[in-house]
Amino acid sequence: MHQRVHKIPGMMGSLDVTKVHWKRCPTAWKGQFQGCEKVASIGLEAVVDNNLWFWHAAFGFPGTLNVINIWGRSSLYESMIDGRHDELDFEFLVDGEVFDKLIYLVDGIYPPLTHFLSSESDPHTKLAYSFAQDQEAHRKDVEQGDAQHDGGG
């Protein structure tokens, strides 16, 4: 399904971090959870597919943390670094083609790991530019999944 929707064979979903507004954050915790948005928020790291199905979610990061800080505390990151994530890989068939590694669509802030696919930050060819635009549009699955879960979508 991802190949038809996102044009990326073997793609598991989009990995991203979004922040959720915490309206009733206790006053004593606001300094820890109030980031540059000037409202208390909680970070959500998630892998979401095109059907807005959450395949991975880590919730509860203080809103003062940026994406890099959240990624550094991530259990998904830890599993990729220590090799446990490779145990999840399996052979699967997409439109008659065999794949053996789950691929996550990410933006350029994530490190270049074998499971990540990101576009060029400064594409110089028409094909690279087209791919970058498609990728940016599809990477919004996490935000759409959060909005859908909240009842906002």
Side-chain angles (χ1 to χ4, degrees):
M1 181 62 167
H2 265 313
Q3 176 146 358
R4 278 181 289 175
V5 174
H6 293 309
K7 302 174 190 148
I8 301 169
M11 183 179 147
M12 172 75 176
S14 299
L15 169 65
D16 205 356
V17 171
T18 189
K19 299 221 177 150
V20 179
H21 177 77
W22 189 4
K23 187 175 183 178
R24 299 189 191 280
C25 177
T27 303
W29 292 3
K30 281 202 176 163
Q32 184 178 356
F33 286 86
Q34 185 172 314
C36 61
E37 298 87 12
K38 303 295 182 213
V39 295
S41 60
I42 300 173
L44 167 66
E45 173 195 68
V47 174
V48 179
D49 70 14
N50 61 290
N51 292 315
L52 307 183
W53 183 266
F54 282 75
W55 291 96
H56 163 79
F59 188 69
F61 300 101
T64 53
L65 298 178
N66 62 27
V67 173
I68 294 170
N69 297 129
I70 290 173
W71 178 241
R73 291 167 170 78
S74 165
S75 61
L76 184 62
Y77 171 70
E78 186 179 309
S79 73
M80 287 183 182
I81 296 303
D82 70 15
R84 287 179 292 134
H85 192 275
D86 292 336
E87 297 170 9
L88 299 176
D89 288 331
F90 57 92
E91 282 196 358
F92 55 99
L93 195 66
V94 178
D95 291 335
E97 193 171 346
V98 177
F99 296 91
D100 63 359
K101 188 176 291 288
L102 299 171
I103 301 296
Y104 302 95
L105 189 61
V106 297
D107 65 15
I109 200 163
Y110 289 91
L113 298 174
T114 59
H115 288 277
F116 290 169
L117 177 63
S118 64
S119 63
E120 296 178 39
S121 58
D122 187 23
H124 294 290
T125 67
K126 194 173 191 175
L127 181 62
Y129 180 78
S130 175
F131 174 75
Q133 285 203 303
D134 283 349
Q135 189 249 17
E136 287 299 313
H138 297 310
R139 235 183 10 82
K140 300 300 179 191
D141 289 343
V142 173
E143 292 170 16
Q144 292 172 354
D146 178 50
Q148 184 74 24
H149 178 71
D150 263 356

